[in-house]
Structure formats: structure tokens, C-alpha cells
Amino acid sequence: MNIVTLQPNGSVFESRRHLSEDPLEFLGYKVEIAERATLRTFFKMVTKYPLLARLNPFLPTYIKHYGLCAEKDCFYPDMDCLELDKTVEMIGFPGEPRLEIYITLHGVKENEKIDLKDIGLDSLLDMPLKLGKLKHVVMGDKVDIFEFDTVFTFFEFIDGIVWELSFLGTLTGCPLRR
């Protein structure tokens, strides 16, 4: 599988080749993120490659709010990192069965998930960003959740982060840059 790698400065590389100004051809590639990548890295990337901001209608609003946040030290003290997970859930038995696949972004503290809905963007930007596992839920059984290593495409990575942020109410906490 073809791979793109997100660097801490927001640059994206494919086989040691810097992505061009038109990164759309790489959206189906597997994404990997460098060890020191943070949520701020994500915003550096979407400002460096403006076409990516057109992938999700919420992204331009978040880019504006990112610009209002402090340039450093945007940490949430009760969290180790942010993690992007993928879930495959079989639903609807008895009844009309269906399969839902979705991506979630959440905080992690000592292997426990932390909901981000009440945490401001200004407290998340410098949190380390990790790619998590795929969780398989069968017919709503939350007791027997299976976890697997998985691949996130470049598009899933971008859209998944923005989609989750759009539900979390994280826009209200950004202070104006001094």
C-alpha cells in the first residue's frame, strides 16, 4: 500500500518525496504520523496545503479558530494524548441489520478514553496525536469488543479529525493571540 507521512512541521511526504501543492491524489494512501506530531501539526498541514481545507465544510472555521489560539503550550493536563480510532459496528438484530463504520477522536489518560466535548481547542493543539486501532462491535455487545491493527487513509485522517471536532464544541475556548 502507498504511504504518506505527516511530519511535525505539517509537511507530508510520500516515499521521501514532498507532496505537491495538489495533495488530492494521495487521499487514498495510508497515512502515518511522525512521533512528535500533535493536533497543531494537523492544522499546520491543512494551512500548508490549502486544497485540503475544502474536504470538509467545517475545516475553514477551525482553521480560523486555530489562528486565534496561542502559538505554544496548548495542553490539557489530565490527558496523555489524542487518539484517532476506527469502529466497525454491526447493528440491527433483531430487525434490519446494517453495518456502520466511523472514526472517533478522543483523549487518552493511562489507557482510559477521555471525551473531548468540554475541552477547548486551545487545550488540545499541543497534545500528541496517535493513530489507534479498529474496534469491532457485534450487534451492540459492548462487552466483547474486538480490537485490530488498522490502516487510516489520508482522507479518513483529515475528515475524521474535523468531523469529530465539529461535534465537540471546542471552538469556544480559544483566546486571542497576544
Side-chain angles (χ1 to χ4, degrees), residues 82-146:
L82 296 172
E83 186 175 83
L84 197 67
D85 290 332
K86 191 183 292 187
T87 301
V88 174
E89 188 167 358
M90 296 171 60
I91 305 170
F93 184 81
E96 198 65 34
R98 68 184 192 277
L99 183 70
E100 292 185 3
I101 302 171
Y102 51 92
I103 296 175
T104 57
L105 179 69
H106 55 86
V108 176
K109 175 73 171 183
E110 298 172 1
N111 294 323
E112 295 294 322
K113 288 185 180 185
I114 298 171
D115 192 355
L116 303 177
K117 71 179 177 184
D118 296 323
I119 303 171
L121 186 61
D122 62 332
S123 296
L124 297 174
L125 285 174
D126 294 316
M127 297 302 302
L129 185 60
K130 311 276 185 197
L131 296 175
K133 295 190 176 256
L134 178 134
K135 287 154 184 64
H136 184 231
V137 181
V138 180
M139 302 303 178
D141 183 3
K142 302 286 186 192
V143 175
D144 292 322
I145 296 177
F146 302 99

Side-chain angles (χ1 to χ4, degrees), residues 1-139:
M1 174 172 243
N2 295 321
I3 300 171
V4 294
T5 305
L6 173 61
Q7 300 299 316
N9 69 358
S11 295
V12 180
F13 290 87
E14 185 268 330
S15 299
R16 298 192 238 296
R17 174 174 66 111
H18 186 267
L19 263 60
S20 66
E21 291 183 21
D22 182 8
L24 299 182
E25 67 182 280
F26 302 99
L27 291 176
Y29 285 30
K30 173 184 177 182
V31 69
E32 293 181 346
I33 53 178
E35 190 171 316
R36 295 180 327 276
T38 63
L39 188 59
R40 186 180 304 277
T41 301
F42 171 81
F43 282 101
K44 287 179 181 180
M45 175 191 69
V46 295
T47 55
K48 185 175 276 203
Y49 304 100
L51 277 175
L52 297 178
R54 297 176 59 196
L55 293 175
N56 185 297
F58 299 107
L59 193 46
T61 301
Y62 275 93
I63 291 171
K64 286 180 190 174
H65 287 279
Y66 159 72
L68 298 174
C69 291
E71 294 182 17
K72 61 180 180 174
D73 299 325
C74 297
F75 295 99
Y76 189 73
D78 294 327
M79 188 183 309
D80 298 328
C81 69
L82 296 172
E83 186 175 83
L84 197 67
D85 290 332
K86 191 183 292 187
T87 301
V88 174
E89 188 167 358
M90 296 171 60
I91 305 170
F93 184 81
E96 198 65 34
R98 68 184 192 277
L99 183 70
E100 292 185 3
I101 302 171
Y102 51 92
I103 296 175
T104 57
L105 179 69
H106 55 86
V108 176
K109 175 73 171 183
E110 298 172 1
N111 294 323
E112 295 294 322
K113 288 185 180 185
I114 298 171
D115 192 355
L116 303 177
K117 71 179 177 184
D118 296 323
I119 303 171
L121 186 61
D122 62 332
S123 296
L124 297 174
L125 285 174
D126 294 316
M127 297 302 302
L129 185 60
K130 311 276 185 197
L131 296 175
K133 295 190 176 256
L134 178 134
K135 287 154 184 64
H136 184 231
V137 181
V138 180
M139 302 303 178

